[in-house]
Amino acid sequence: MGYLQEARENHVKKKVEEALRSKMKQKALKECDHYALKYAECATGRTMSVVWQCRKQAKELNSCLHQYTNDAVLEEMKREYMLQQDAKASSS
């Protein structure tokens, strides 16, 4: 695939990109719910000590979230969106 074709496929409007980012974050939170609950349990009743007492849980949560919220995932979502738009346009 040529550079221009790839660039066109990955270019979406700002509002669409924001919506895709939001969707990506929602999916990440859903997929990492177990880690979020573990972190929340650890953090309950703590204030400043949460930083060092819950470091392990925070690291696990961030690691999980990163699997679902990175540039590669966003680019794939953009590509899928553009393919859907092209399919809609060609079927009209």
Side-chain angles (χ1 to χ4, degrees):
M1 179 182 310
Y3 174 77
L4 290 175
Q5 176 69 20
E6 189 173 324
R8 189 191 76 73
E9 284 186 2
N10 291 336
H11 178 74
V12 295
K13 291 181 180 177
K14 192 76 167 166
K15 282 189 174 188
V16 172
E17 183 171 335
E18 289 173 7
L20 290 173
R21 282 186 188 277
S22 178
K23 187 177 177 181
M24 178 176 65
K25 289 176 186 177
Q26 288 174 355
K27 180 181 181 193
L29 288 172
K30 183 179 177 185
E31 296 292 331
C32 300
D33 188 51
H34 172 72
Y35 295 106
L37 288 173
K38 283 174 53 177
Y39 180 73
E41 286 174 14
C42 180
T44 300
R46 300 180 197 276
T47 54
M48 295 296 289
S49 67
V50 73
V51 175
W52 59 86
Q53 291 291 332
C54 303
R55 184 172 286 141
K56 178 181 175 239
Q57 292 85 345
K59 200 171 200 172
E60 289 173 344
L61 176 59
N62 286 333
S63 178
C64 181
L65 290 172
H66 184 69
Q67 292 177 43
Y68 300 99
T69 57
N70 58 55
D71 290 339
V73 173
L74 182 61
E75 291 304 314
E76 182 59 31
M77 291 177 76
K78 286 181 187 179
R79 194 172 294 114
E80 288 174 12
Y81 174 82
M82 293 303 293
L83 289 173
Q84 289 173 354
Q85 295 305 305
D86 289 346
K88 284 181 186 176
S90 63
S91 69
S92 296

